[in-house]
Each structure stands twice: as structure tokens, then as C-alpha cells.
Amino acid sequence: MTYHHTTFTPTALITGASAGLGRALTHALFDIGWHVIATARHVDRLDRLRGDHVTTVVGDVTDPAHRAELATILTANGGLDLLVNNASTLGPSPMPHLAQYPLDQLAAVYDVNVVAPLALLQLALPALRSRDGVAVNITSDAAVMPYEGWGGYGSSKAALDHLTAILAAEESDVPIYSFDPGDMRTDMHQAAFPGQDISDRPEPETVVPSLLRLIESRPPSGRYVGAQLEAEVTS
């Protein structure tokens, strides 16, 4: 699934595209000739992504009206080659233990991290099928490791992982991946460690080659870790 040096312009829909991994992936894709439909909540950050190969759409992935707008854009585009559900929320910061976790805020975390990705997959699957496309849900090692204080975010990503696995079993014609990028130097990661220095974490741009390898090589649907894919490239 390599699109270099071709007259065909593939299209990706990336949520949470204005910062972190979403922004890094958006830049990487339009640098190699993709058209990117980039969506996020912050208009000022999205404005910095404007260009010939980028369509920016301001909105919240939990908003049905925003998702309907994206569906209209996909229909007008005539299909989709890649969906990346990157938008996530950490929840309260500092992160509370589950025994004290405000349930309304827990529900909001699940709405962003679990329900919205499924809603976007539901509307995007026909467009992906029409282009032999792929879908990627961005997950975390907090989905598989019981880190103290990470109960809200971690359990939501665990739910997203299992949802991804079940959907992949049900939709054999569309490869669907969970991708764990590892720790990155992002605003969300900083919110998880308020007041701490996270400058030792890698920049999101360093993870993009592993994610592109996953998208282009199209292995069987499943859960993949960025560091492991990088090791395969360098070994």
C-alpha cells in the first residue's frame, strides 16, 4: 500500500489532528502526496495545517452533528483509504484513583475514547471498503498494564482494544488495527504528569515511521506496538 510517485491521491481522515501524533502523521502523509481530512476541536491549531492537500474540519468527535459533517465530506470524496482514530482524552488531571473517580467524567472519557471511534468507524467503513482502505485506532500500554491512577484512561483504551479486535473479526474485508505508539512528548502526556519534566520522552514525529510501516505493509488485523515495528525495520 505504497503511494509514492503515483497519479492516484489517497485520502486519510485523522481525528485529533491538530497536536501530537495526529499532527505529526498529518504532516508526514501530505508530504508524500496524501490528501488529509484533519479534524480537531481547536481552530487555531487546525489553521496551521492548512494547505493544498489538507481539508480541516473543526469539531468534537463526540458530537453527532460533527460526525455527520465528516460523513458528508467522505461521500463527496468518493471513498477513504485510511481512518486514524487518534483523538483521545486523558480525563481529570491529576488523575484520580478509581475509588474517587467522578463517574460523569469517567463517562466523558469513554465517550471520547471508545464510543466516538466506533461511531466514526461505522460511518467510514463503506468508504474504506470502496477503496480497499484500512483503519487504525490509537491505543496505549495503559490498556494492558494496570498503572496506578490510570484507571479511567487505561480501562477506556482496553475497551477500545477489545472493540477493535471484535470489529476486525466481523469486518474481514477491512484491516483494522490497534496501534500503541508508546510514551511521547505531548500535551496529554504532560497532563498525566503535571509539574514533571517529560523532555526525555520522544517526539511524536519519531513514531510516525512505524505507523506508516503498519499502514503500508497491511499485516493481519490486530494490536501492534510502535517500538516492535521499529525493531523489525532496523533488525
Side-chain angles (χ1 to χ4, degrees):
M1 193 177 179
T2 300
Y3 298 108
H4 301 270
H5 311 298
T6 176
T7 56
F8 174 72
T9 302
T11 298
L13 169 58
I14 301 176
T15 69
S18 66
L21 181 60
R23 180 177 61 192
L25 179 61
T26 297
H27 282 293
L29 287 176
F30 67 61
D31 281 348
I32 59 174
W34 284 64
H35 170 224
V36 180
I37 302 167
T39 182
R41 292 175 299 157
H42 302 291
V43 63
D44 55 335
R45 290 182 173 182
L46 272 181
D47 280 344
R48 299 170 198 163
L49 295 174
R50 292 191 186 279
D52 293 339
H53 297 291
V54 181
T55 300
T56 58
V57 189
V58 179
D60 189 325
V61 292
T62 66
D63 180 2
H66 175 56
R67 297 197 299 261
E69 181 182 9
L70 293 173
T72 299
I73 292 171
L74 294 184
T75 299
N77 190 69
L80 186 67
D81 302 279
L82 171 66
L83 168 65
V84 180
N85 276 313
N86 172 70
S88 296
T89 186
L90 182 71
S93 175
M95 296 185 292
H97 285 192
L98 284 175
Q100 292 84 37
Y101 209 110
L103 296 183
D104 59 336
Q105 295 187 52
L106 181 64
V109 169
Y110 272 70
D111 200 18
V112 176
N113 295 355
V114 184
V115 178
L118 176 58
L120 285 165
L121 277 159
Q122 288 175 342
L123 69 85
L125 276 169
L128 290 167
R129 292 191 195 101
S130 72
R131 292 272 193 91
D132 194 26
V134 302
V136 181
N137 290 329
I138 303 300
T139 186
S140 166
D141 66 333
V144 295
M145 296 296 293
Y147 298 125
E148 181 180 350
W150 287 75
Y153 179 82
S155 64
S156 73
K157 289 297 185 179
L160 180 64
D161 273 0
H162 202 56
L163 179 152
T164 304
I166 293 172
L167 193 58
E170 295 171 343
E171 301 291 334
S172 58
D173 54 341
V174 177
I176 302 175
Y177 307 114
S178 288
F179 178 76
D180 175 4
D183 290 349
M184 296 178 292
R185 198 183 315 169
T186 63
D187 292 344
M188 189 170 71
H189 197 72
Q190 183 64 78
F193 299 95
Q196 297 185 33
D197 181 9
I198 64 165
S199 60
D200 61 327
R201 276 66 160 185
E203 294 282 4
E205 288 77 5
T206 65
V207 179
V208 169
S210 295
L211 182 49
L212 290 178
R213 174 178 169 79
L214 176 66
I215 294 164
E216 293 188 353
S217 62
R218 296 171 70 101
S221 295
R223 191 181 195 280
Y224 293 86
V225 178
Q228 294 174 353
L229 290 170
E230 182 180 2
E232 292 174 7
V233 173
T234 57
S235 62

